[in-house]
Tab-separated table of all heavy atoms in Angstrom:
chain	number	residue	atom	x	y	z
E	22	GLY	N	27.495	19.919	11.503
E	22	GLY	CA	26.628	20.179	10.291
E	22	GLY	C	25.350	19.288	10.300
E	22	GLY	O	24.580	19.383	9.358
E	23	TRP	N	25.185	18.550	11.421
E	23	TRP	CA	23.893	17.706	11.430
E	23	TRP	C	22.756	18.508	11.861
E	23	TRP	O	22.830	19.415	12.620
E	23	TRP	CB	24.204	16.663	12.527
E	23	TRP	CG	25.280	15.540	12.183
E	23	TRP	CD1	26.538	15.547	12.681
E	23	TRP	CD2	25.074	14.529	11.284
E	23	TRP	NE1	27.108	14.583	12.025
E	23	TRP	CE2	26.349	13.757	11.213
E	23	TRP	CE3	24.029	14.047	10.494
E	23	TRP	CZ2	26.528	12.783	10.475
E	23	TRP	CZ3	24.316	12.857	9.713
E	23	TRP	CH2	25.468	12.255	9.627
E	24	LYS	N	21.644	18.133	11.218
E	24	LYS	CA	20.320	18.681	11.567
E	24	LYS	C	19.650	17.806	12.524
E	24	LYS	O	19.981	16.572	12.501
E	24	LYS	CB	19.407	18.906	10.290
E	24	LYS	CG	19.931	19.851	9.216
E	24	LYS	CD	19.070	19.842	8.005
E	24	LYS	CE	19.595	20.671	6.845
E	24	LYS	NZ	18.805	20.669	5.750
E	25	CYS	N	18.789	18.351	13.312
E	25	CYS	CA	18.150	17.489	14.356
E	25	CYS	C	16.696	17.595	14.436
E	25	CYS	O	16.292	18.903	14.334
E	25	CYS	CB	18.837	17.886	15.618
E	25	CYS	SG	18.185	16.898	17.032
E	26	ILE	N	15.827	16.654	14.672
E	26	ILE	CA	14.411	16.701	14.996
E	26	ILE	C	14.358	15.676	16.032
E	26	ILE	O	14.681	14.492	16.038
E	26	ILE	CB	13.670	16.306	13.701
E	26	ILE	CG1	13.867	17.141	12.489
E	26	ILE	CG2	12.232	16.373	14.157
E	26	ILE	CD1	13.124	16.732	11.290
E	27	ASN	N	13.718	16.100	17.139
E	27	ASN	CA	13.231	15.099	18.118
E	27	ASN	C	11.849	15.196	18.498
E	27	ASN	O	11.266	14.558	19.530
E	27	ASN	CB	14.187	15.067	19.282
E	27	ASN	CG	14.040	16.344	20.298
E	27	ASN	OD1	13.438	17.179	19.877
E	27	ASN	ND2	14.637	16.316	21.298
E	28	LYS	N	11.163	16.002	17.774
E	28	LYS	CA	9.646	16.020	17.938
E	28	LYS	C	9.013	15.568	16.734
E	28	LYS	O	9.484	15.727	15.592
E	28	LYS	CB	9.106	17.528	18.082
E	28	LYS	CG	9.718	18.076	19.493
E	28	LYS	CD	9.309	19.554	19.537
E	28	LYS	CE	7.868	19.797	19.552
E	28	LYS	NZ	7.513	21.273	19.643
E	29	GLY	N	7.804	14.923	16.852
E	29	GLY	CA	7.041	14.544	15.659
E	29	GLY	C	7.234	13.088	15.294
E	29	GLY	O	6.791	12.671	14.190
E	30	PHE	N	7.777	12.211	16.055
E	30	PHE	CA	7.990	10.794	15.675
E	30	PHE	C	6.605	10.220	15.560
E	30	PHE	O	5.664	10.630	16.353
E	30	PHE	CB	8.797	10.037	16.793
E	30	PHE	CG	10.281	10.171	16.588
E	30	PHE	CD1	11.031	11.208	17.346
E	30	PHE	CD2	10.939	9.315	15.659
E	30	PHE	CE1	12.446	11.097	17.125
E	30	PHE	CE2	12.270	9.439	15.537
E	30	PHE	CZ	13.001	10.316	16.179
E	31	PRO	N	6.410	9.306	14.641
E	31	PRO	CA	5.254	8.648	14.551
E	31	PRO	C	4.865	7.899	15.789
E	31	PRO	O	5.684	7.534	16.609
E	31	PRO	CB	5.380	7.564	13.346
E	31	PRO	CG	6.607	8.280	12.543
E	31	PRO	CD	7.363	8.898	13.670
E	32	ASP	N	3.632	7.550	16.074
E	32	ASP	CA	3.130	6.941	17.130
E	32	ASP	C	3.625	5.416	17.380
E	32	ASP	O	3.830	5.094	18.499
E	32	ASP	CB	1.576	6.852	17.097
E	32	ASP	CG	0.890	8.119	17.070
E	32	ASP	OD1	1.236	8.929	17.895
E	32	ASP	OD2	0.013	8.353	16.178
E	33	PHE	N	3.849	4.752	16.264
E	33	PHE	CA	4.251	3.369	16.282
E	33	PHE	C	5.445	2.935	15.313
E	33	PHE	O	5.474	3.642	14.169
E	33	PHE	CB	3.083	2.378	15.980
E	33	PHE	CG	1.908	2.399	16.900
E	33	PHE	CD1	0.843	3.139	16.490
E	33	PHE	CD2	2.005	1.955	18.233
E	33	PHE	CE1	-0.219	3.305	17.512
E	33	PHE	CE2	0.830	1.944	19.047
E	33	PHE	CZ	-0.145	2.654	18.690
E	34	LEU	N	6.291	2.076	15.789
E	34	LEU	CA	7.161	1.398	14.881
E	34	LEU	C	6.706	0.015	14.746
E	34	LEU	O	6.888	-0.655	15.874
E	34	LEU	CB	8.632	1.549	15.161
E	34	LEU	CG	9.611	0.594	14.455
E	34	LEU	CD1	9.523	0.853	13.018
E	34	LEU	CD2	11.082	0.842	15.047
E	35	PHE	N	6.274	-0.570	13.720
E	35	PHE	CA	5.827	-1.920	13.587
E	35	PHE	C	7.060	-2.767	12.886
E	35	PHE	O	7.448	-2.241	11.838
E	35	PHE	CB	4.555	-2.106	12.781
E	35	PHE	CG	3.309	-1.630	13.552
E	35	PHE	CD1	2.756	-0.371	13.312
E	35	PHE	CD2	2.676	-2.543	14.567
E	35	PHE	CE1	1.720	-0.015	14.119
E	35	PHE	CE2	1.515	-2.059	15.263
E	35	PHE	CZ	1.098	-0.835	15.088
E	36	TYR	N	7.434	-3.805	13.413
E	36	TYR	CA	8.532	-4.543	12.735
E	36	TYR	C	8.276	-6.116	13.074
E	36	TYR	O	7.547	-6.474	13.957
E	36	TYR	CB	9.803	-4.177	13.155
E	36	TYR	CG	10.110	-4.424	14.653
E	36	TYR	CD1	10.818	-5.614	15.064
E	36	TYR	CD2	9.620	-3.626	15.656
E	36	TYR	CE1	11.088	-5.845	16.273
E	36	TYR	CE2	9.895	-3.802	16.956
E	36	TYR	CZ	10.799	-5.075	17.367
E	36	TYR	OH	11.057	-5.365	18.548
E	37	LYS	N	8.857	-6.898	12.189
E	37	LYS	CA	8.820	-8.270	12.476
E	37	LYS	C	10.178	-8.886	11.836
E	37	LYS	O	10.731	-8.382	10.943
E	37	LYS	CB	7.655	-9.006	11.713
E	37	LYS	CG	7.462	-8.845	10.300
E	37	LYS	CD	6.198	-9.569	9.812
E	37	LYS	CE	5.918	-9.313	8.429
E	37	LYS	NZ	4.593	-9.953	7.920
E	38	ASP	N	10.569	-9.979	12.566
E	38	ASP	CA	11.796	-10.719	12.111
E	38	ASP	C	11.496	-11.655	11.056
E	38	ASP	O	10.462	-12.283	11.111
E	38	ASP	CB	12.440	-11.467	13.310
E	38	ASP	CG	12.955	-10.263	14.396
E	38	ASP	OD1	13.406	-9.353	13.887
E	38	ASP	OD2	12.736	-10.620	15.598
E	39	LEU	N	12.274	-11.632	10.046
E	39	LEU	CA	12.046	-12.563	8.876
E	39	LEU	C	12.796	-13.797	8.979
E	39	LEU	O	13.783	-13.854	9.633
E	39	LEU	CB	12.385	-11.808	7.589
E	39	LEU	CG	11.560	-10.531	7.318
E	39	LEU	CD1	12.073	-9.795	6.015
E	39	LEU	CD2	10.145	-10.683	7.196
E	40	PRO	N	12.359	-14.829	8.277
E	40	PRO	CA	13.128	-16.166	8.330
E	40	PRO	C	14.544	-16.060	7.882
E	40	PRO	O	15.517	-16.788	8.382
E	40	PRO	CB	12.394	-17.137	7.464
E	40	PRO	CG	10.897	-16.360	7.406
E	40	PRO	CD	11.163	-15.015	7.605
E	41	ASN	N	14.881	-15.061	6.985
E	41	ASN	CA	16.205	-14.913	6.538
E	41	ASN	C	17.139	-14.162	7.570
E	41	ASN	O	18.254	-13.814	7.204
E	41	ASN	CB	16.169	-14.280	5.173
E	41	ASN	CG	15.662	-12.838	5.298
E	41	ASN	OD1	15.359	-12.252	6.291
E	41	ASN	ND2	15.421	-12.282	3.999
E	42	GLY	N	16.545	-13.794	8.761
E	42	GLY	CA	17.394	-13.147	9.753
E	42	GLY	C	17.312	-11.636	9.640
E	42	GLY	O	17.884	-10.871	10.581
E	43	LYS	N	16.666	-11.092	8.663
E	43	LYS	CA	16.494	-9.599	8.570
E	43	LYS	C	15.189	-9.191	9.261
E	43	LYS	O	14.477	-10.043	9.626
E	43	LYS	CB	16.499	-9.220	7.022
E	43	LYS	CG	17.785	-9.495	6.309
E	43	LYS	CD	17.689	-8.885	4.860
E	43	LYS	CE	19.025	-9.060	4.206
E	43	LYS	NZ	19.087	-8.345	2.948
E	44	THR	N	14.969	-7.999	9.419
E	44	THR	CA	14.003	-7.359	10.067
E	44	THR	C	13.244	-6.389	9.111
E	44	THR	O	13.902	-5.503	8.514
E	44	THR	CB	14.214	-6.738	11.319
E	44	THR	OG1	14.939	-7.644	12.215
E	44	THR	CG2	13.050	-6.072	12.049
E	45	GLU	N	11.969	-6.367	8.947
E	45	GLU	CA	11.282	-5.328	8.102
E	45	GLU	C	10.319	-4.624	9.013
E	45	GLU	O	9.884	-5.199	9.962
E	45	GLU	CB	10.492	-5.981	6.869
E	45	GLU	CG	9.390	-6.825	7.221
E	45	GLU	CD	8.724	-7.329	6.066
E	45	GLU	OE1	9.263	-7.282	4.911
E	45	GLU	OE2	7.529	-7.812	6.128
E	46	GLY	N	9.926	-3.382	8.578
E	46	GLY	CA	9.018	-2.683	9.399
E	46	GLY	C	8.594	-1.363	8.741
E	46	GLY	O	9.091	-1.006	7.671
E	47	PHE	N	7.672	-0.653	9.464
E	47	PHE	CA	7.302	0.590	9.054
E	47	PHE	C	6.684	1.447	10.305
E	47	PHE	O	6.521	0.879	11.327
E	47	PHE	CB	6.248	0.485	7.966
E	47	PHE	CG	5.053	-0.379	8.462
E	47	PHE	CD1	3.940	0.092	8.935
E	47	PHE	CD2	5.081	-1.691	8.191
E	47	PHE	CE1	2.792	-0.680	9.437
E	47	PHE	CE2	4.079	-2.641	8.567
E	47	PHE	CZ	2.907	-2.106	9.283
E	48	PHE	N	6.686	2.743	10.072
E	48	PHE	CA	6.182	3.551	11.117
E	48	PHE	C	4.702	4.002	10.747
E	48	PHE	O	4.333	4.001	9.612
E	48	PHE	CB	6.886	5.004	11.040
E	48	PHE	CG	8.336	4.898	11.590
E	48	PHE	CD1	9.354	4.689	10.644
E	48	PHE	CD2	8.585	5.061	12.886
E	48	PHE	CE1	10.617	4.722	11.044
E	48	PHE	CE2	9.841	4.897	13.342
E	48	PHE	CZ	10.968	4.691	12.386
E	49	VAL	N	3.866	4.189	11.808
E	49	VAL	CA	2.504	4.546	11.719
E	49	VAL	C	2.179	5.711	12.619
E	49	VAL	O	2.484	5.792	13.772
E	49	VAL	CB	1.472	3.365	12.044
E	49	VAL	CG1	0.120	3.805	12.022
E	49	VAL	CG2	1.688	2.196	11.077
E	50	GLU	N	1.535	6.778	12.061
E	50	GLU	CA	0.934	7.893	12.698
E	50	GLU	C	-0.646	7.636	12.678
E	50	GLU	O	-1.184	7.497	11.542
E	50	GLU	CB	1.320	9.155	12.016
E	50	GLU	CG	0.818	10.395	12.688
E	50	GLU	CD	1.612	10.777	13.942
E	50	GLU	OE1	2.780	10.615	13.912
E	50	GLU	OE2	0.976	11.087	14.876
E	51	VAL	N	-1.175	7.720	13.831
E	51	VAL	CA	-2.612	7.543	13.808
E	51	VAL	C	-3.246	9.006	14.111
E	51	VAL	O	-2.961	9.566	15.018
E	51	VAL	CB	-3.076	6.456	14.932
E	51	VAL	CG1	-4.656	6.398	15.053
E	51	VAL	CG2	-2.398	5.221	14.899
E	52	LYS	N	-4.232	9.282	13.252
E	52	LYS	CA	-4.941	10.497	13.390
E	52	LYS	C	-6.361	10.262	13.521
E	52	LYS	O	-6.955	9.263	13.005
E	52	LYS	CB	-4.639	11.422	12.153
E	52	LYS	CG	-3.260	12.151	12.291
E	52	LYS	CD	-3.114	12.895	13.315
E	52	LYS	CE	-1.784	13.642	13.458
E	52	LYS	NZ	-1.625	14.303	14.642
E	53	THR	N	-7.085	11.254	14.074
E	53	THR	CA	-8.564	11.117	14.265
E	53	THR	C	-9.320	11.792	13.125
E	53	THR	O	-8.965	12.889	12.642
E	53	THR	CB	-8.940	11.743	15.548
E	53	THR	OG1	-8.172	11.328	16.618
E	53	THR	CG2	-10.419	11.772	15.822
E	54	LYS	N	-10.263	10.976	12.625
E	54	LYS	CA	-11.207	11.534	11.744
E	54	LYS	C	-12.309	12.436	12.543
E	54	LYS	O	-12.708	11.991	13.608
E	54	LYS	CB	-12.086	10.496	10.987
E	54	LYS	CG	-11.320	9.836	10.029
E	54	LYS	CD	-12.312	8.806	9.320
E	54	LYS	CE	-11.605	8.030	8.225
E	54	LYS	NZ	-12.489	7.019	7.544
E	55	ILE	N	-12.565	13.614	12.064
E	55	ILE	CA	-13.443	14.588	12.815
E	55	ILE	C	-14.870	14.267	12.391
E	55	ILE	O	-15.123	14.176	11.131
E	55	ILE	CB	-13.057	15.988	12.507
E	55	ILE	CG1	-11.634	16.308	12.968
E	55	ILE	CG2	-14.037	16.924	13.336
E	55	ILE	CD1	-11.096	17.564	12.519
E	56	PRO	N	-15.829	13.888	13.299
E	56	PRO	CA	-17.146	13.523	12.976
E	56	PRO	C	-17.842	14.720	12.164
E	56	PRO	O	-17.372	15.861	12.299
E	56	PRO	CB	-17.737	13.380	14.282
E	56	PRO	CG	-16.664	13.122	15.263
E	56	PRO	CD	-15.478	13.900	14.715
E	57	GLN	N	-18.750	14.448	11.321
E	57	GLN	CA	-19.479	15.352	10.472
E	57	GLN	C	-19.986	16.425	11.420
E	57	GLN	O	-20.659	16.176	12.360
E	57	GLN	CB	-20.512	14.658	9.750
E	57	GLN	CG	-21.169	15.450	8.587
E	57	GLN	CD	-20.269	15.716	7.447
E	57	GLN	OE1	-19.258	15.069	7.298
E	57	GLN	NE2	-20.612	16.657	6.579
E	58	GLY	N	-19.764	17.724	11.082
E	58	GLY	CA	-20.387	18.876	11.818
E	58	GLY	C	-19.675	19.327	13.014
E	58	GLY	O	-20.085	20.175	13.821
E	59	LYS	N	-18.555	18.550	13.453
E	59	LYS	CA	-17.896	18.905	14.611
E	59	LYS	C	-16.687	19.711	14.354
E	59	LYS	O	-16.152	19.690	13.353
E	59	LYS	CB	-17.314	17.558	15.446
E	59	LYS	CG	-18.502	16.674	15.756
E	59	LYS	CD	-19.271	17.269	16.992
E	59	LYS	CE	-20.389	16.264	17.420
E	59	LYS	NZ	-21.099	16.746	18.577
E	60	ILE	N	-16.228	20.372	15.401
E	60	ILE	CA	-14.935	21.201	15.337
E	60	ILE	C	-13.981	20.671	16.451
E	60	ILE	O	-14.414	20.540	17.453
E	60	ILE	CB	-15.200	22.723	15.389
E	60	ILE	CG1	-15.990	23.183	14.259
E	60	ILE	CG2	-13.853	23.384	15.477
E	60	ILE	CD1	-16.295	24.649	14.144
E	61	ARG	N	-12.735	20.496	16.043
E	61	ARG	CA	-11.795	19.994	17.049
E	61	ARG	C	-10.468	20.786	16.843
E	61	ARG	O	-9.886	20.898	15.719
E	61	ARG	CB	-11.504	18.519	16.878
E	61	ARG	CG	-10.392	18.017	17.844
E	61	ARG	CD	-10.280	16.588	17.665
E	61	ARG	NE	-9.116	16.074	18.538
E	61	ARG	CZ	-8.707	14.829	18.539
E	61	ARG	NH1	-9.439	13.898	17.952
E	61	ARG	NH2	-7.640	14.540	19.278
E	62	ASN	N	-10.027	21.557	17.821
E	62	ASN	CA	-8.764	22.276	17.737
E	62	ASN	C	-8.913	23.228	16.599
E	62	ASN	O	-7.817	23.460	15.951
E	62	ASN	CB	-7.507	21.381	17.685
E	62	ASN	CG	-7.415	20.665	18.980
E	62	ASN	OD1	-7.843	20.951	20.024
E	62	ASN	ND2	-6.571	19.513	18.843
E	63	GLY	N	-10.066	23.898	16.380
E	63	GLY	CA	-10.227	24.806	15.274
E	63	GLY	C	-10.331	24.244	13.949
E	63	GLY	O	-10.204	24.939	12.955
E	64	VAL	N	-10.325	22.886	13.810
E	64	VAL	CA	-10.396	22.259	12.458
E	64	VAL	C	-11.818	21.694	12.412
E	64	VAL	O	-12.450	21.058	13.276
E	64	VAL	CB	-9.417	21.051	12.378
E	64	VAL	CG1	-9.508	20.412	11.009
E	64	VAL	CG2	-7.970	21.664	12.537
E	65	GLY	N	-12.447	22.021	11.152
E	65	GLY	CA	-13.830	21.328	11.036
E	65	GLY	C	-13.853	19.980	10.421
E	65	GLY	O	-12.809	19.244	10.506
Side-chain angles (χ1 to χ4, degrees):
W23 293 99
K24 296 178 184 178
C25 180
I26 304 174
N27 69 351
K28 290 176 62 177
F30 275 97
D32 297 311
F33 298 101
L34 167 60
F35 287 99
Y36 69 96
K37 60 182 171 183
D38 296 322
L39 303 176
N41 63 6
K43 294 187 177 188
T44 301
E45 71 177 13
F47 54 90
F48 290 96
V49 173
E50 180 75 42
V51 181
K52 287 295 184 189
T53 303
K54 286 184 182 176
I55 301 169
Q57 193 70 16
K59 299 286 183 179
I60 294 179
R61 179 175 171 180
N62 295 338
V64 179

